């Protein structure tokens, strides 16, 4: 019985939170290109990044790459 109350409360909160989301997104300067995104994923998943475990050289390489991309897109 208590579990159902918690579930109903969680659903009500999720619904209320969804009402605060914008109905449409603002246009972006970035053009979405599936092949480009696939290239990003392939690079991030590559052996060159050594699995990207936290605080490893591969992790640092991935973080540096991502930071450079964000600067490029800004």
């Amino acid at each position: 019985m208590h579990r159902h109350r918690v579930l109903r409360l969680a659903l009500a909160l999720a619904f209320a939170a969804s009402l605060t989301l914008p109905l449409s997104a603002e246009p972006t300067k970035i053009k979405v290109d599936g092949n480009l995104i696939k290239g990003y994923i392939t690079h991030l998943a590559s052996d060159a990044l050594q699995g990207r475990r936290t605080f490893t050289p591969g992790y640092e390489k991935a973080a540096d790459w991502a930071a450079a991309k964000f600067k490029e897109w800004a």
Side-chain angles (χ1 to χ4, degrees), residues 7-55:
L7 180 60
R8 277 188 260 149
L9 178 60
L11 289 173
L13 289 173
F15 177 73
S18 73
L19 295 176
T20 64
L21 297 174
L23 295 178
S24 63
E26 292 182 26
T28 179
K29 295 186 290 185
I30 300 171
K31 300 288 184 204
V32 177
D33 177 356
N35 289 324
L36 187 62
I37 294 170
K38 184 178 179 182
Y40 294 162
I41 294 169
T42 300
H43 175 70
L44 289 170
S46 72
D47 290 340
L49 298 183
Q50 306 162 342
R52 301 160 317 284
R53 288 187 152 234
T54 307
F55 305 118

Side-chain angles (χ1 to χ4, degrees), residues 49-72:
L49 298 183
Q50 306 162 342
R52 301 160 317 284
R53 288 187 152 234
T54 307
F55 305 118
T56 63
Y59 174 83
E60 293 296 324
K61 288 179 190 176
D64 291 343
W65 179 86
K69 284 296 175 189
F70 281 119
K71 287 179 183 175
E72 179 184 318

